[in-house]
Amino acid sequence: MQLTRKGLWEGVIRGYREFLPRVNDESIVTLKEGNTPLIEAVNLKDILGDIRLLLKYEGVNPTGSFKDRGMTMAVSGAKQEGSQAVICASTGNTSASAAAYAAKASMKAFVLVPEGAIAKGKLSQAMMHGAMVLEVKGSFDEALAIVIEITANYPVTMVNSLNPLRIEGQKTAAFEVCEHLGHAPTYHFIPVGNAGNITAYWKGYKEYRSKGITSNLPKMMGFQAEGAAPIVRGEPVTDPRTVASAIRIGNPASWKGALEARDESEGTIDMVSDEEILEAYGLLSSREGVFCEPASAASLAGVIKKKKEDVLSDGDTVVCTLTGHGLKDPDIAIETAREPVKVAADIDKIVEVMGF
Ligand code: F0G
């Protein structure tokens, strides 16, 4: 088994065939997801000292989030079974991804989203890809419960991460991290919402080690938003609140998987405030040139918190998953960043404002 894969990238199913459940070639639905960069952060030393921080930038996937890795598997699996429609509940990204892959597969997509609570970029994607978008007057958790019941009774395939193929596809991100580094990191920081992704990464890391491709495992460090932190608090949250709409979830479907990842890896599931999330969000874009959405920045906010608590030491290799692209949520970006300067179309005024 080679640690480096070069050449034309054909998406995660073809790239990692031997590690994934079998999909017939004619059933593969791909937008060439995966193979995302691991970017070394170089301008945060004043905050993080000499830890080695790497950003797994999942925002560059075809629909702008990590969901595509799982969706290629879930939609291909649905196609292989002869299904003609997929359904999901979503805080936005899953709906965008499901809609795109269903379009590619010429299948119908039904997406249930909490009304008025998903970011504009994501809503626009689901609409443009031709999904039937159902805005539910309720929470993500309520929408997911309805989706579970519908799939039990009607001919439509669930593509939420309760579908095990989603987890299979998403574990490939851990493979890529190991290939880039030549080993697993010391710590892996990741935002936690419905908890599928932390479950998937842990599965991926364990598989590479059990096959002898790597010899170490990371500590899994999951971060929820303070107002939506059911796992940290040990009970469901009925009215989850956070600026990071992607992880506004009160009763995660993969709760058990997250606890296993935490306990088996001797890691942690902790929480960060909205202020900490927005600070990390600003640092990533303004200092590192990496624009992610607010929920993604919960991972860096977690790193900063653990550095302050002296959990992290110089020399540790720390990977943060940046789960979605910043363009997904332009409203929060514009609300939080420095305002543009309005100026007359006059060169003297403009150079004066520029400070020359
Ligand atoms: N970051 C982003 C940008 C997300 O969209 C999500 C989940 C997460 C983190 C958390 O991942 O659920 O596997 O723990 N978004 C889902 C959705 C719930 O519907 O798009 P998780």
Side-chain angles (χ1 to χ4, degrees), residues 56 58 97 104-105 121 124 128 177 220 248 260 278 280:
K56 183 66 174 158
E58 290 288 278
S97 187
K104 181 80 176 171
S124 66
M128 282 301 291
V177 170
M220 297 301 299
R248 200 179 286 150
E260 276 172 22
L278 291 177

Side-chain angles (χ1 to χ4, degrees), residues 66-67 89-94 140 191-197 246-247 249 293 295-296 323-324:
F66 71 96
K67 305 286 180 180
S90 181
T91 57
N93 281 322
T94 303
F140 165 83
V192 174
N194 215 22
N197 213 27
I247 53 171
I249 294 178
E293 63 174 288
S296 306
T323 45

Side-chain angles (χ1 to χ4, degrees), residues 11-30:
V12 302
I13 297 182
R14 293 196 172 94
Y16 292 105
R17 197 165 237 153
E18 65 270 42
F19 299 96
L20 294 170
R22 183 157 171 70
V23 180
N24 300 329
D25 230 36
E26 61 278 13
S27 301
I28 294 176
V29 183
T30 181

Side-chain angles (χ1 to χ4, degrees), residues 268-337:
T268 191
I269 310 267
D270 200 346
M271 58 190 177
V272 280
S273 67
D274 279 4
E275 293 68 39
E276 290 170 308
I277 288 173
L278 291 177
E279 192 205 332
Y281 170 66
L283 286 169
L284 285 164
S285 48
S286 64
R287 291 216 203 160
E288 295 297 335
V290 177
F291 190 22
C292 65
E293 63 174 288
S296 306
S299 57
L300 177 64
V303 174
I304 295 172
K305 180 171 180 177
K306 292 298 153 190
K307 173 68 188 169
K308 282 188 190 145
E309 289 175 4
D310 277 333
V311 172
L312 305 178
S313 322
D314 286 353
D316 283 342
T317 301
V318 177
V319 170
C320 271
T321 300
L322 302 182
T323 45
H325 202 288
L327 290 171
K328 292 274 192 175
D329 199 344
D331 291 331
I332 304 283
I334 289 169
E335 270 168 40
T336 56

